[in-house]
Amino acid sequence: MLQPADQSTIERAAAILKRGGLVAFPTETVYGLGADATNARAVARIFEVKARPQFDPIIVHVASADAAHALWTRCPEPAAALMRAFWPGPLTLVLPKTERIPDLVTAGLPMVAVRMPDHPVALRLIQLAGCPVAAPSANRFGRASPTTAAAVEEELGEGVDLILDGGPARIGIESTVLAFDDGTPVLLRPGGVTVESLREAVGPIAMRGRPAQRRASPGMLQRHYAPRTPLYLLEEAEAPADGLLAATGTVGLLSLTPASLPVPVGHAEVLSPSGDLVEAAARFFQALRRLDQRGLDLLIAVPMPRHGLGLALMDRLTKAASGRAWIKHGTVLLAGHGTVTRRPA
Ligand code: TXA
Ligand code: MG
């Protein structure tokens, strides 16, 4: 079921998509779980296999800009400029949809998200299938995105008809998702194309749902990208005076550059010893998976710089976290939803 992505396997995968099956395939960001985007029954299977709630819309993948235009009723000039600048690549554009896209794909929204991936296997697959390909990240809902074919198999196993193995994903973090408000780009999800480079190409980008705002209203904190082991995001600000619990058990540590804690660390993952955010993004989800497989009691993540790809990494960490941590008087103090300090049995 997991097959190296050579020409004949890609042909087989395209045939599976044509008859309404599911194929996991590599992209430059993360692996996707694909179905024919014009076939509502095939798309329904994506929701089933991922255990994904039907209110969460899916990105449609195309192999050319023309194929994208065929799915939208209009495309404002800033969107066209962004396509010229960043396609193929990790940029998803959300625009009004045509009838060709079933409501299930967009969760009933009048807009469809479309991107052209920068990966030869993905592009070949879409061309051979001859249809736009709806594909969320190939993980179970709410969990870390897979950046290798083996991680897809671990996540979805039997549910997929074929997994195309194209090696580890080059970028390692999902695409940037942009909508448009009167022609002004609005950031829905930071990702592989940095906000800095978007601004350079088209000017102002409206930011929505910044991590600081989400922390300010915990009810909006959507749990996503989450490991099974409780993950706490380290705070730099001073700890609140009460309501905190001292961490017990063995800790896993995730950081950009080498870091230390005043408590025993069972396993540490350093994303980039030199602090390179591109290298860090490429290693992020695999590092999270490795930490989750170590049987640790809790994980602590050191915040990333909030620029470049660090913005996307902080977005994923904030959503993956079940609480926050502070270092004080030689201990690690925790606060979280129910303040889990021991791994659930
Ligand atoms: O890099 C990526 O984007 C990967 C690869 C496989 O292409 N895909 C991916 O898909 O990350 P997924 O389903 O895990 O995340 C898609 C995001 C979700 O946050 C979803 O809410 C948003 O895009 N989205 C999709 N369609 C939308 C729409 N019509 N309006 C607003 N947001 C949409
Ligand atoms: Mg996802």
Side-chain angles (χ1 to χ4, degrees):
M1 205 192 38
L2 194 160
Q3 302 272 336
D6 55 28
Q7 180 60 24
S8 71
T9 319
I10 299 174
E11 280 167 16
R12 222 171 81 223
I16 291 172
L17 288 178
K18 277 185 186 171
R19 56 164 196 268
L22 296 188
V23 172
F25 61 97
T27 82
E28 80 282 29
T29 58
V30 301
Y31 275 69
L33 175 62
D36 176 352
T38 63
N39 178 342
R41 285 175 68 122
V43 173
R45 271 193 68 201
I46 293 182
F47 284 94
E48 205 176 281
V49 168
K50 276 194 59 130
R52 184 183 176 105
Q54 299 211 345
F55 58 75
D56 199 1
I58 299 181
I59 296 174
V60 175
H61 298 67
V62 293
S64 69
D66 284 346
H69 288 300
L71 303 177
W72 293 325
T73 56
R74 61 192 163 78
C75 176
E77 177 44 37
L82 288 166
M83 288 162 78
R84 288 190 295 272
F86 297 105
W87 279 21
L91 178 65
T92 297
L93 303 176
V94 179
L95 289 166
K97 79 177 188 75
T98 61
E99 296 285 296
R100 248 190 108 198
I101 297 297
D103 285 337
L104 186 58
V105 171
T106 64
L109 295 169
M111 311 279 187
V112 62
V114 183
R115 86 174 188 101
M116 179 179 174
D118 185 16
H119 196 292
V121 173
L123 292 173
R124 192 84 194 110
L125 176 67
I126 299 163
Q127 277 159 358
L128 289 173
C131 59
V133 175
S137 52
N139 50 278
R140 292 181 64 78
F141 182 72
R143 305 244 310 130
S145 297
T147 54
T148 64
V152 175
E153 194 165 45
E154 231 174 81
E155 282 286 321
L156 303 177
E158 301 301 295
V160 192
D161 298 313
L162 182 67
I163 302 172
L164 286 173
D165 187 352
R170 174 168 59 83
I171 293 175
I173 194 119
E174 303 87 342
S175 63
T176 303
V177 181
L178 280 187
F180 294 85
D181 188 358
D182 274 341
T184 303
V186 180
L187 185 72
L188 297 186
R189 177 179 74 180
V193 173
T194 64
V195 172
E196 291 90 337
S197 56
L198 292 173
R199 288 197 178 115
E200 216 167 285
V202 288
I205 306 289
M207 305 287 274
R208 187 187 281 174
R210 277 164 298 181
Q213 293 169 336
R214 268 188 240 115
R215 262 207 307 281
S217 72
M220 280 175 64
L221 209 144
Q222 186 194 355
R223 207 143 144 71
H224 216 97
Y225 312 103
R228 295 202 165 89
T229 319
L231 171 79
Y232 293 82
L233 189 54
L234 199 62
E235 288 284 322
E236 280 140 348
E238 198 169 321
D242 46 29
L244 302 183
L245 269 182
T248 54
T250 317
V251 175
L253 180 60
L254 177 71
S255 61
L256 178 61
T257 53
S260 63
L261 289 176
V263 295
V265 171
H267 182 74
E269 289 282 345
V270 174
L271 294 177
S272 169
S274 67
D276 176 1
L277 289 167
V278 174
E279 180 184 24
R283 302 188 53 193
F284 178 72
F285 281 122
Q286 276 299 101
L288 209 52
R289 264 170 211 285
R290 276 193 298 272
L291 280 166
D292 208 14
Q293 286 161 354
R294 287 283 173 139
L296 300 159
D297 293 303
L298 68 147
L299 310 178
I300 303 240
V302 179
M304 307 285 152
R306 291 174 194 271
H307 58 79
L309 290 179
L311 198 66
L313 292 174
M314 274 308 278
D315 170 76
R316 309 306 186 265
L317 276 178
T318 309
K319 288 178 178 161
S322 55
R324 292 174 282 159
W326 291 263
I327 294 174
K328 199 173 176 182
H329 305 319
T331 58
V332 174
L333 298 172
L334 305 174
H337 313 310
T339 324
V340 197
T341 58
R342 304 285 319 173
R343 207 170 138 80

